[in-house]
Amino acid sequence: MKTLQSPTDITVLARAAAKVKRHVLPLFVVMFIVNYIDRVNIGFVRSHLETDLGIGAAAYGLGAGLFFIGYALFEVPSNMLLQRYGARVWLTRIMFTWGAAAMAMAFVQGETSFYVLRFILGAAEAGFFPGIIYYFTQWLPASERGKTMAVFLSGSAIASV
């Protein structure tokens, strides 16, 4: 591994890191805010699922949990494909399939479609968070990653508001 020797190398690296933080980090923060809202919004629709679709507490709990089963099952394969295709391509795929699955939730007709779509939503979203971390490790020096991660993780606090 090459070590930085000259002030020019250090300046180029600092400018590149600043560019990533200026252009990419705000997008990632917005993505994380949407991710967090999407993950917790199931709690806000519980009464509507029960009233409008007849999905009871047990079915709701199973459906909410199926999201995490899909997420857990597809986390490692998603990360392997991220490594293969690159963060830009794979994070874009995650956003599109995640958005399509989230939109499809509007068409839930009963318990079965709720279960299937929650599982698909988890599978589609798998790899998002580690993909962002991977992206940061590829584009930012170690000295910049902690501050960048702090800004990125602030997205969950912003989403909670």
Side-chain angles (χ1 to χ4, degrees):
M1 185 170 158
K2 181 184 172 191
T3 58
L4 297 175
Q5 299 294 327
S6 72
T8 305
D9 289 341
I10 294 170
T11 304
V12 169
L13 184 60
R15 284 195 338 226
K19 198 171 194 180
V20 168
K21 291 193 305 189
R22 189 173 52 248
H23 293 286
V24 177
L25 184 58
L27 175 64
F28 284 173
V29 170
V30 169
M31 289 165 56
F32 192 52
I33 289 169
V34 173
N35 174 271
Y36 190 84
I37 290 171
D38 181 54
R39 198 170 286 183
V40 300
N41 75 356
I42 192 70
F44 298 119
V45 299
R46 180 177 178 198
S47 63
H48 298 290
L49 290 171
E50 189 172 329
T51 305
D52 298 342
L53 300 174
I55 295 176
Y60 166 81
L62 177 60
L66 283 172
F67 169 87
F68 293 102
I69 292 171
Y71 194 96
L73 286 175
F74 286 93
E75 188 76 33
V76 171
S78 182
N79 288 322
M80 291 168 62
L81 291 167
L82 170 88
Q83 183 75 27
R84 180 179 212 173
Y85 294 109
R88 181 185 306 178
V89 170
W90 201 247
L91 289 173
T92 302
R93 191 281 313 158
I94 288 172
M95 292 295 105
F96 278 111
T97 56
W98 168 22
M103 287 188 300
M105 289 295 293
F107 302 105
V108 168
Q109 297 294 316
E111 291 178 5
T112 302
S113 60
F114 178 62
Y115 295 154
V116 169
L117 286 172
R118 286 298 293 174
F119 181 82
I120 289 171
L121 186 63
E125 193 178 312
F128 168 71
F129 191 82
I132 299 295
I133 305 306
Y134 176 73
Y135 193 89
F136 287 154
T137 64
Q138 296 297 304
W139 284 93
L140 294 170
S143 62
E144 295 291 329
R145 272 186 238 140
K147 293 177 271 189
T148 305
M149 281 301 301
V151 172
F152 172 67
L153 291 173
S154 71
S156 66
I158 295 167
S160 296
V161 172

